[in-house]
Amino acid sequence: MYFSGEWRKLSGTGLYTVLLLFVVIPVVFQGTLGLLAGIEPNNMHITTLDLFSRVFVVLSAGALVSMSFFSEYRKNALVNTYLHGIPVFRLLLHKWLYVATGVCLLVLTGLIGAGLFVHLAGGHLLDVFRSVYLSVLFLFVGALCVANMHYLLCLLLKEHTLLSLMVAFAGAIGNFWIPSTRYWIAFPWSYPLRALYFSSLSVGQLVFVAGVALVSSLLVAGLIFSASREPHRFAGLS
């Protein structure tokens, strides 16, 4: 009920069309440029997904989380949920699962597009996948980190959720120079991009990124389940 309801809440906003364009436009644009430039099949996934991972994964995660919470506060849905005796933490939990699934589907769609361009470049998909599967795994991990950051922001900001969207824009802009510096590790919005360049990462850096994903998920889970003890606070009644 709650999970399917999350889709319906945003189905008339045009957000899903925007998110689809956030995948299709950069992947097709970069992939076409890669084909014209004669990029090797083993590197085509990097060329195809670079702009998507640098900018549009961040914008997509920020937009999905922020607009989801904005819809709740605009319609007083959390307040109504609390006043009708429905557990607020359950709504928040399903929203988190919905957001995580949505972000992963966006990344998967981008990967399918990249696979198409690898094929067009003359590469064998299975051979390429065997060589980059860890990079793909950490691309999902990095995207989850970004989604978690925005979910935490929205839980803390409450009705000021559009500030989270502004943070997403700032993160996307920052990805044009921070990932190439030594400070990228402290900037989770750069993780999806750095995952593409997996061979340049040390074991310690990979462990740190995985740790950020785990800790941020635990923080989100902790805040969600604390809503079972103080549902009025999360509903915006205090």
Side-chain angles (χ1 to χ4, degrees), residues 135-157:
S135 175
V136 169
L137 174 62
F138 271 85
L139 179 56
F140 282 103
V141 171
L144 179 62
C145 286
V146 176
N148 283 345
M149 294 299 168
H150 286 280
Y151 199 96
L152 288 169
L153 281 173
C154 286
L155 285 178
L156 297 174
L157 292 170

PDB file of all heavy atoms in Angstrom, residues 135-157:
ATOM      1  N   SER A 135      33.479  -2.197 -10.562  1.00  0.00           N
ATOM      2  CA  SER A 135      33.189  -0.793 -10.835  1.00  0.00           C
ATOM      3  C   SER A 135      31.678  -0.554 -10.859  1.00  0.00           C
ATOM      4  O   SER A 135      31.173   0.426 -10.308  1.00  0.00           O
ATOM      5  CB  SER A 135      33.811  -0.371 -12.168  1.00  0.00           C
ATOM      6  OG  SER A 135      33.454   0.949 -12.509  1.00  0.00           O
ATOM      7  N   VAL A 136      30.953  -1.477 -11.496  1.00  0.00           N
ATOM      8  CA  VAL A 136      29.490  -1.379 -11.555  1.00  0.00           C
ATOM      9  C   VAL A 136      28.895  -1.484 -10.158  1.00  0.00           C
ATOM     10  O   VAL A 136      27.992  -0.720  -9.788  1.00  0.00           O
ATOM     11  CB  VAL A 136      28.925  -2.493 -12.472  1.00  0.00           C
ATOM     12  CG1 VAL A 136      27.397  -2.573 -12.338  1.00  0.00           C
ATOM     13  CG2 VAL A 136      29.322  -2.230 -13.914  1.00  0.00           C
ATOM     14  N   LEU A 137      29.410  -2.421  -9.367  1.00  0.00           N
ATOM     15  CA  LEU A 137      28.914  -2.580  -7.997  1.00  0.00           C
ATOM     16  C   LEU A 137      29.086  -1.296  -7.203  1.00  0.00           C
ATOM     17  O   LEU A 137      28.159  -0.840  -6.508  1.00  0.00           O
ATOM     18  CB  LEU A 137      29.652  -3.742  -7.316  1.00  0.00           C
ATOM     19  CG  LEU A 137      29.352  -3.941  -5.827  1.00  0.00           C
ATOM     20  CD1 LEU A 137      27.881  -4.268  -5.611  1.00  0.00           C
ATOM     21  CD2 LEU A 137      30.235  -5.047  -5.248  1.00  0.00           C
ATOM     22  N   PHE A 138      30.276  -0.683  -7.309  1.00  0.00           N
ATOM     23  CA  PHE A 138      30.520   0.535  -6.539  1.00  0.00           C
ATOM     24  C   PHE A 138      29.786   1.741  -7.130  1.00  0.00           C
ATOM     25  O   PHE A 138      29.585   2.729  -6.430  1.00  0.00           O
ATOM     26  CB  PHE A 138      32.018   0.797  -6.415  1.00  0.00           C
ATOM     27  CG  PHE A 138      32.622   0.134  -5.211  1.00  0.00           C
ATOM     28  CD1 PHE A 138      33.038  -1.183  -5.265  1.00  0.00           C
ATOM     29  CD2 PHE A 138      32.736   0.824  -4.011  1.00  0.00           C
ATOM     30  CE1 PHE A 138      33.567  -1.806  -4.154  1.00  0.00           C
ATOM     31  CE2 PHE A 138      33.269   0.217  -2.893  1.00  0.00           C
ATOM     32  CZ  PHE A 138      33.680  -1.106  -2.957  1.00  0.00           C
ATOM     33  N   LEU A 139      29.384   1.660  -8.380  1.00  0.00           N
ATOM     34  CA  LEU A 139      28.522   2.703  -8.933  1.00  0.00           C
ATOM     35  C   LEU A 139      27.178   2.695  -8.215  1.00  0.00           C
ATOM     36  O   LEU A 139      26.651   3.759  -7.846  1.00  0.00           O
ATOM     37  CB  LEU A 139      28.332   2.491 -10.429  1.00  0.00           C
ATOM     38  CG  LEU A 139      27.436   3.493 -11.166  1.00  0.00           C
ATOM     39  CD1 LEU A 139      27.924   4.924 -10.975  1.00  0.00           C
ATOM     40  CD2 LEU A 139      27.370   3.147 -12.656  1.00  0.00           C
ATOM     41  N   PHE A 140      26.635   1.501  -7.957  1.00  0.00           N
ATOM     42  CA  PHE A 140      25.395   1.394  -7.183  1.00  0.00           C
ATOM     43  C   PHE A 140      25.612   1.853  -5.743  1.00  0.00           C
ATOM     44  O   PHE A 140      24.760   2.544  -5.174  1.00  0.00           O
ATOM     45  CB  PHE A 140      24.885  -0.047  -7.199  1.00  0.00           C
ATOM     46  CG  PHE A 140      24.181  -0.445  -8.456  1.00  0.00           C
ATOM     47  CD1 PHE A 140      24.818  -1.240  -9.397  1.00  0.00           C
ATOM     48  CD2 PHE A 140      22.883  -0.032  -8.707  1.00  0.00           C
ATOM     49  CE1 PHE A 140      24.173  -1.608 -10.571  1.00  0.00           C
ATOM     50  CE2 PHE A 140      22.227  -0.402  -9.872  1.00  0.00           C
ATOM     51  CZ  PHE A 140      22.873  -1.193 -10.808  1.00  0.00           C
ATOM     52  N   VAL A 141      26.740   1.460  -5.161  1.00  0.00           N
ATOM     53  CA  VAL A 141      27.040   1.866  -3.783  1.00  0.00           C
ATOM     54  C   VAL A 141      27.147   3.386  -3.676  1.00  0.00           C
ATOM     55  O   VAL A 141      26.613   4.007  -2.750  1.00  0.00           O
ATOM     56  CB  VAL A 141      28.352   1.194  -3.297  1.00  0.00           C
ATOM     57  CG1 VAL A 141      28.788   1.777  -1.945  1.00  0.00           C
ATOM     58  CG2 VAL A 141      28.155  -0.310  -3.181  1.00  0.00           C
ATOM     59  N   GLY A 142      27.849   3.996  -4.645  1.00  0.00           N
ATOM     60  CA  GLY A 142      27.983   5.453  -4.639  1.00  0.00           C
ATOM     61  C   GLY A 142      26.652   6.157  -4.792  1.00  0.00           C
ATOM     62  O   GLY A 142      26.378   7.158  -4.123  1.00  0.00           O
ATOM     63  N   ALA A 143      25.794   5.633  -5.683  1.00  0.00           N
ATOM     64  CA  ALA A 143      24.474   6.229  -5.875  1.00  0.00           C
ATOM     65  C   ALA A 143      23.636   6.105  -4.608  1.00  0.00           C
ATOM     66  O   ALA A 143      22.889   7.027  -4.246  1.00  0.00           O
ATOM     67  CB  ALA A 143      23.767   5.562  -7.045  1.00  0.00           C
ATOM     68  N   LEU A 144      23.766   4.964  -3.902  1.00  0.00           N
ATOM     69  CA  LEU A 144      23.047   4.788  -2.644  1.00  0.00           C
ATOM     70  C   LEU A 144      23.521   5.781  -1.592  1.00  0.00           C
ATOM     71  O   LEU A 144      22.715   6.319  -0.817  1.00  0.00           O
ATOM     72  CB  LEU A 144      23.222   3.355  -2.134  1.00  0.00           C
ATOM     73  CG  LEU A 144      22.542   3.030  -0.801  1.00  0.00           C
ATOM     74  CD1 LEU A 144      21.025   3.194  -0.915  1.00  0.00           C
ATOM     75  CD2 LEU A 144      22.887   1.608  -0.355  1.00  0.00           C
ATOM     76  N   CYS A 145      24.828   6.047  -1.561  1.00  0.00           N
ATOM     77  CA  CYS A 145      25.361   7.051  -0.630  1.00  0.00           C
ATOM     78  C   CYS A 145      24.717   8.414  -0.877  1.00  0.00           C
ATOM     79  O   CYS A 145      24.308   9.104   0.078  1.00  0.00           O
ATOM     80  CB  CYS A 145      26.879   7.171  -0.788  1.00  0.00           C
ATOM     81  SG  CYS A 145      27.841   5.824  -0.104  1.00  0.00           S
ATOM     82  N   VAL A 146      24.619   8.807  -2.134  1.00  0.00           N
ATOM     83  CA  VAL A 146      24.020  10.101  -2.476  1.00  0.00           C
ATOM     84  C   VAL A 146      22.558  10.138  -2.042  1.00  0.00           C
ATOM     85  O   VAL A 146      22.089  11.111  -1.436  1.00  0.00           O
ATOM     86  CB  VAL A 146      24.140  10.381  -3.984  1.00  0.00           C
ATOM     87  CG1 VAL A 146      23.420  11.678  -4.345  1.00  0.00           C
ATOM     88  CG2 VAL A 146      25.606  10.465  -4.395  1.00  0.00           C
ATOM     89  N   ALA A 147      21.821   9.069  -2.338  1.00  0.00           N
ATOM     90  CA  ALA A 147      20.410   9.006  -1.946  1.00  0.00           C
ATOM     91  C   ALA A 147      20.259   9.093  -0.436  1.00  0.00           C
ATOM     92  O   ALA A 147      19.371   9.789   0.080  1.00  0.00           O
ATOM     93  CB  ALA A 147      19.773   7.728  -2.482  1.00  0.00           C
ATOM     94  N   ASN A 148      21.127   8.394   0.293  1.00  0.00           N
ATOM     95  CA  ASN A 148      21.066   8.429   1.760  1.00  0.00           C
ATOM     96  C   ASN A 148      21.333   9.828   2.300  1.00  0.00           C
ATOM     97  O   ASN A 148      20.680  10.279   3.249  1.00  0.00           O
ATOM     98  CB  ASN A 148      22.073   7.448   2.353  1.00  0.00           C
ATOM     99  CG  ASN A 148      21.611   6.006   2.276  1.00  0.00           C
ATOM    100  OD1 ASN A 148      20.441   5.734   2.039  1.00  0.00           O
ATOM    101  ND2 ASN A 148      22.530   5.083   2.463  1.00  0.00           N
ATOM    102  N   MET A 149      22.309  10.519   1.713  1.00  0.00           N
ATOM    103  CA  MET A 149      22.618  11.877   2.165  1.00  0.00           C
ATOM    104  C   MET A 149      21.404  12.787   2.027  1.00  0.00           C
ATOM    105  O   MET A 149      21.085  13.576   2.932  1.00  0.00           O
ATOM    106  CB  MET A 149      23.804  12.444   1.372  1.00  0.00           C
ATOM    107  CG  MET A 149      25.119  11.749   1.598  1.00  0.00           C
ATOM    108  SD  MET A 149      25.644  11.845   3.329  1.00  0.00           S
ATOM    109  CE  MET A 149      26.980  10.651   3.321  1.00  0.00           C
ATOM    110  N   HIS A 150      20.718  12.684   0.915  1.00  0.00           N
ATOM    111  CA  HIS A 150      19.560  13.545   0.694  1.00  0.00           C
ATOM    112  C   HIS A 150      18.370  13.109   1.552  1.00  0.00           C
ATOM    113  O   HIS A 150      17.576  13.952   1.982  1.00  0.00           O
ATOM    114  CB  HIS A 150      19.201  13.569  -0.789  1.00  0.00           C
ATOM    115  CG  HIS A 150      20.158  14.376  -1.596  1.00  0.00           C
ATOM    116  ND1 HIS A 150      20.099  15.756  -1.671  1.00  0.00           N
ATOM    117  CD2 HIS A 150      21.235  14.013  -2.340  1.00  0.00           C
ATOM    118  CE1 HIS A 150      21.081  16.200  -2.434  1.00  0.00           C
ATOM    119  NE2 HIS A 150      21.782  15.170  -2.842  1.00  0.00           N
ATOM    120  N   TYR A 151      18.276  11.824   1.810  1.00  0.00           N
ATOM    121  CA  TYR A 151      17.202  11.361   2.698  1.00  0.00           C
ATOM    122  C   TYR A 151      17.427  11.893   4.114  1.00  0.00           C
ATOM    123  O   TYR A 151      16.484  12.360   4.771  1.00  0.00           O
ATOM    124  CB  TYR A 151      17.146   9.831   2.705  1.00  0.00           C
ATOM    125  CG  TYR A 151      15.833   9.282   3.196  1.00  0.00           C
ATOM    126  CD1 TYR A 151      14.841   8.913   2.299  1.00  0.00           C
ATOM    127  CD2 TYR A 151      15.579   9.152   4.555  1.00  0.00           C
ATOM    128  CE1 TYR A 151      13.626   8.411   2.750  1.00  0.00           C
ATOM    129  CE2 TYR A 151      14.374   8.660   5.009  1.00  0.00           C
ATOM    130  CZ  TYR A 151      13.396   8.293   4.109  1.00  0.00           C
ATOM    131  OH  TYR A 151      12.189   7.817   4.567  1.00  0.00           O
ATOM    132  N   LEU A 152      18.664  11.833   4.577  1.00  0.00           N
ATOM    133  CA  LEU A 152      18.981  12.380   5.901  1.00  0.00           C
ATOM    134  C   LEU A 152      18.702  13.879   5.955  1.00  0.00           C
ATOM    135  O   LEU A 152      18.146  14.388   6.939  1.00  0.00           O
ATOM    136  CB  LEU A 152      20.451  12.101   6.237  1.00  0.00           C
ATOM    137  CG  LEU A 152      20.815  10.653   6.565  1.00  0.00           C
ATOM    138  CD1 LEU A 152      22.326  10.479   6.614  1.00  0.00           C
ATOM    139  CD2 LEU A 152      20.198  10.250   7.911  1.00  0.00           C
ATOM    140  N   LEU A 153      19.084  14.589   4.895  1.00  0.00           N
ATOM    141  CA  LEU A 153      18.828  16.033   4.844  1.00  0.00           C
ATOM    142  C   LEU A 153      17.331  16.324   4.938  1.00  0.00           C
ATOM    143  O   LEU A 153      16.907  17.216   5.677  1.00  0.00           O
ATOM    144  CB  LEU A 153      19.386  16.625   3.550  1.00  0.00           C
ATOM    145  CG  LEU A 153      20.878  16.897   3.497  1.00  0.00           C
ATOM    146  CD1 LEU A 153      21.288  17.325   2.085  1.00  0.00           C
ATOM    147  CD2 LEU A 153      21.266  17.991   4.499  1.00  0.00           C
ATOM    148  N   CYS A 154      16.538  15.565   4.205  1.00  0.00           N
ATOM    149  CA  CYS A 154      15.093  15.816   4.209  1.00  0.00           C
ATOM    150  C   CYS A 154      14.465  15.485   5.558  1.00  0.00           C
ATOM    151  O   CYS A 154      13.542  16.170   5.999  1.00  0.00           O
ATOM    152  CB  CYS A 154      14.424  15.002   3.105  1.00  0.00           C
ATOM    153  SG  CYS A 154      14.720  15.659   1.446  1.00  0.00           S
ATOM    154  N   LEU A 155      14.957  14.444   6.228  1.00  0.00           N
ATOM    155  CA  LEU A 155      14.447  14.133   7.560  1.00  0.00           C
ATOM    156  C   LEU A 155      14.775  15.244   8.554  1.00  0.00           C
ATOM    157  O   LEU A 155      13.971  15.563   9.436  1.00  0.00           O
ATOM    158  CB  LEU A 155      15.031  12.808   8.052  1.00  0.00           C
ATOM    159  CG  LEU A 155      14.462  11.525   7.448  1.00  0.00           C
ATOM    160  CD1 LEU A 155      15.196  10.315   8.015  1.00  0.00           C
ATOM    161  CD2 LEU A 155      12.970  11.398   7.727  1.00  0.00           C
ATOM    162  N   LEU A 156      15.950  15.826   8.397  1.00  0.00           N
ATOM    163  CA  LEU A 156      16.380  16.874   9.333  1.00  0.00           C
ATOM    164  C   LEU A 156      15.783  18.236   8.984  1.00  0.00           C
ATOM    165  O   LEU A 156      15.459  19.024   9.882  1.00  0.00           O
ATOM    166  CB  LEU A 156      17.909  16.957   9.336  1.00  0.00           C
ATOM    167  CG  LEU A 156      18.635  15.696   9.837  1.00  0.00           C
ATOM    168  CD1 LEU A 156      20.142  15.841   9.654  1.00  0.00           C
ATOM    169  CD2 LEU A 156      18.311  15.427  11.307  1.00  0.00           C
ATOM    170  N   LEU A 157      15.622  18.504   7.690  1.00  0.00           N
ATOM    171  CA  LEU A 157      15.116  19.808   7.261  1.00  0.00           C
ATOM    172  C   LEU A 157      13.597  19.897   7.351  1.00  0.00           C
ATOM    173  O   LEU A 157      13.037  20.997   7.347  1.00  0.00           O
ATOM    174  CB  LEU A 157      15.547  20.080   5.815  1.00  0.00           C
ATOM    175  CG  LEU A 157      17.039  20.285   5.583  1.00  0.00           C
ATOM    176  CD1 LEU A 157      17.341  20.303   4.093  1.00  0.00           C
ATOM    177  CD2 LEU A 157      17.512  21.579   6.233  1.00  0.00           C
TER     178      LEU A 157
END
